[in-house]
């Protein structure tokens, strides 16, 4: 896309003159150019939001999808926005993503979840569109509906997206549309975050940087901003339950609540942002939102060993994502293995398909009050596409720990979320990524064991590790959360830790939809060399060659190279004489031509003409030249075919 010129500096050194010898070194060069629209790509408006500076707070605006959007559709019905104040306008980059769409087998047996006989009763019989996403471009100023240009049929959507309330046969189906800011450059800060998932929107941090992204020594986190844990309830028991239940309804006052995940949202969830249990008003899962069966990637609730009084408390299961969540601990004195199963792993994770970490299940509870025994929330999602990445920094999308309990079952940990980082040019800097599972909650750790099983109650299972997708090297941790323990003996009492997550090696081209801003912009790099190298004596001629190459996604126009960089104190005339008539070029791009201009006043103007003997230099040389400006007419191609995207300029100097 057309944009204002910007600059790029290549770092190197310049020696000062010595009467006896000169250590040959490279001067700073300045390069400037502007972009031409990239062809055969679906581009938004790279850099539309300008330089981001130090990013902090919530930078995304989230819109719930208010109606289904079919494959090929060019408009999407929207609900009221949340998050950042910026609203959708023409040329904005949007992320469309299906958050929940899985189906489960709701039979009250070991086939619960995936429909496969035999424990664990967990997972999904079909994941539907869960996790599928694409980038699209807004073509109007949106209010209740946005028109888009996508990469699908007829410039519409590649995928179908669904928005439906929960029914007796399946959980709610939700997708959202996220406005993704497009920066020319940006620096991360530790204040940058996402809006926590609220059952309709949030849980995602997404940015597009066409130029340089500095990691800023920051720690950016979306910990616990994903799917929420099951909200615990203090219950006195009910004759409507059995200690073999995989699912039961909240109308029967026994068992722990299942967590939230890709298969739906349960009747009660623990909201970590308000530290409260929220009643969603609907059961949420087919045939009930309680007991040990784990729907989709959500952890199962603890099935009580004595439902009629609900006093044989077991722990909640951990949420799943890149791995399987851990199982909750056993029932109190009856020591039955009835803890919630861990949420299933999302084996379909890919560059174009990512989900939030599953929420942990709540433990069975009859004594404690408040939010004790609730499940932990899963980690959110981070999506970053940038031209190049520099500096060091950390991104975390960890699951939260399950809530502890006194003499009750504890909550399962939330699973790690998902992180995707792509740099179109170069590596990922010194990046650290963590998408770790949350630990399971602990049960009655101030009480002595008092025999076997004695005072032991079920701890929570650990949340699974998340998913990290990168196109370069980074320090990555996707370990599962540690299972909780019970009593002063720190006994896991049947609880298990969450499984490890996944690390994916991806490419930018595997991401669906509108192209990253960096791929829609030129990226011209410089390499400067000198011959001969090493320490040379006065009177030696040196040849400097500046090679340039456009590795971006669009042609570069108005290319200008200045040597040395006029923003520094460096000057050709400090230690050398410029050789008159020595400039040569090597250009492959069709139609690209060059003119050379010279300065004798430190780069203030470029109107000087070198002359033999100028400034008292030897014949054939000029001592007045301080800077050289190479100005190109035409466009530097982005195509590497026949090296059409590269070229070079050279000139000679003599050491004084």
């Amino acid at each position: 896309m057309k944009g204002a010129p910007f600059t790029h500096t290549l770092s190197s050194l310049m020696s000062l003159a010595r009467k006896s010898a000169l250590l040959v070194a490279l001067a700073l060069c300045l390069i400037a150019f502007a972009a031409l629209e990239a062809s055969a790509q679906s581009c938004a408006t790279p850099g539309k939001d300008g330089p981001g500076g130090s990013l902090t707070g919530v930078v995304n605006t989230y819109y719930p999808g208010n109606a289904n959007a079919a494959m090929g559709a060019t408009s999407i019905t929207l609900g009221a926005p949340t998050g950042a104040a910026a609203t959708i306008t023409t040329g904005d980059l949007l992320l469309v993503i299906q958050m929940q769409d899985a189906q489960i087998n709701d039979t009250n047996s070991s086939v619960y979840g995936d429909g496969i006989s035999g424990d664990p009763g967990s997972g999904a019989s079909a994941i539907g569109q869960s996790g599928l996403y694409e980038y699209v471009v807004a073509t109007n100023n949106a209010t209740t509906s946005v028109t888009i240009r996508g990469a699908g049929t007829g410039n519409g959507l590649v995928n179908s997206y669904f928005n439906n309330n929960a029914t007796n046969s399946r959980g709610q189906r939700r997708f959202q549309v996220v406005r993704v800011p497009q920066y020319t450059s940006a620096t991360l800060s530790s204040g940058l975050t996402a809006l926590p998932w609220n059952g309709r929107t949030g849980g995602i941090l997404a940015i597009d940087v066409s130029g340089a992204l500095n990691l800023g020594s920051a720690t950016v986190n979306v910990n616990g901003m994903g799917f929420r844990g099951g909200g615990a309830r203090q219950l006195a028991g009910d004759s409507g339950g059995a200690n073999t239940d995989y699912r039961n309804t909240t109308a029967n006052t026994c068992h722990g609540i299942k967590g939230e995940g890709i298969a739906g949202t349960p009747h009660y969830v623990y909201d970590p942002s308000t530290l409260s249990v929220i009643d969603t008003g609907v059961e949420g899962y087919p045939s009930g939102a309680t007991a040990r069966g784990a729907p989709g990637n959500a952890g199962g609730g603890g099935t009580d060993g004595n439902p009629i009084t609900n006093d044989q408390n077991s722990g909640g299961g951990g949420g799943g994502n890149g791995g399987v969540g851990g199982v909750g601990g056993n029932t109190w004195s009856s020591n039955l293995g009835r803890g919630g199963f861990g949420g299933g792993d999302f084996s379909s994770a890919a560059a174009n398909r990512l989900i939030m970490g599953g929420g942990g299940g709540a433990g069975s509870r009859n004594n404690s009050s408040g939010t004790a025994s609730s499940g932990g929330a899963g980690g959110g999602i981070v999506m970053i596409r940038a031209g190049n990445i520099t500096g060091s920094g950390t991104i975390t999308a960890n699951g939260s720990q399950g809530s502890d309990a006194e003499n009750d079952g504890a909550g399962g940990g939330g699973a790690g979320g998902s992180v995707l980082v792509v740099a179109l040019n170069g590596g990922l800097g010194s990046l650290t990524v963590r998408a770790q599972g949350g630990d399971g909650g602990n049960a009655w750790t101030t009480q002595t064991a008092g025999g076997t099983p004695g005072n032991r109650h079920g701890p929570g299972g650990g949340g699974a590790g998340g998913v990290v997708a990168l196109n370069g090297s980074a320090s990555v941790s996707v370990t599962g959360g540690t299972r909780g323990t019970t009593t002063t003996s720190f006994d896991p009492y049947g609880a298990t830790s969450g499984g490890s997550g996944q690390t994916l090696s991806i490419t930018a081209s595997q991401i669906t939809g509108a192209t990253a801003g960096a791929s829609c912009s030129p990226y011209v790099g410089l390499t400067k060399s000198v011959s001969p190298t090493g320490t040379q004596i006065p009177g030696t001629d040196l040849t400097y060659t500046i090679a340039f190459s456009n590795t971006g996604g669009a042609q570069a126009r108005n290319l200008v190279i200045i040597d040395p960089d006029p923003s520094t104190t460096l000057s050709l005339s400090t230690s050398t004489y410029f050789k008159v008539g020595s400039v040569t070029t090597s250009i492959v791009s069709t139609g690209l031509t060059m003119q050379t201009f010279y300065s004798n006043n430190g780069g203030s103007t470029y109107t000087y003409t070198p002359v033999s003997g100028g400034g008292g230099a030897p014949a054939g040389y000029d001592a007045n030249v301080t800077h050289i400006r190479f100005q190109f007419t035409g466009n530097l191609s982005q195509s590497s075919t026949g090296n059409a995207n590269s070229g070079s300029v050279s000139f000679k100097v003599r050491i004084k």
Side-chain angles (χ1 to χ4, degrees), residues 3 16 25 27 39 89 105 122 128 148 160 167 175-176 191 212 272 293-294 328 487 489 538 542 554 560 593 644:
L16 295 178
S39 60
T89 59
N105 184 308
S122 62
I148 60 99
S160 295
T167 67
F175 78 96
Q176 62 176 317
T487 71
S489 64
L542 307 175
V560 175
T593 59

Side-chain angles (χ1 to χ4, degrees), residues 235-286:
L235 303 174
D238 196 294
S239 59
N243 68 9
T244 56
D245 282 339
Y246 287 74
R247 49 82 174 150
N248 208 314
T249 67
T250 54
N252 294 319
T253 54
C254 56
H255 306 321
I257 298 286
K258 304 176 190 297
E260 181 181 38
I262 60 173
T265 299
H267 202 313
Y268 298 93
V269 293
Y270 174 60
D271 183 357
S273 62
T274 61
L275 304 179
S276 62
V277 172
I278 296 175
D279 181 351
T280 65
V282 294
E283 193 66 22
Y285 289 121

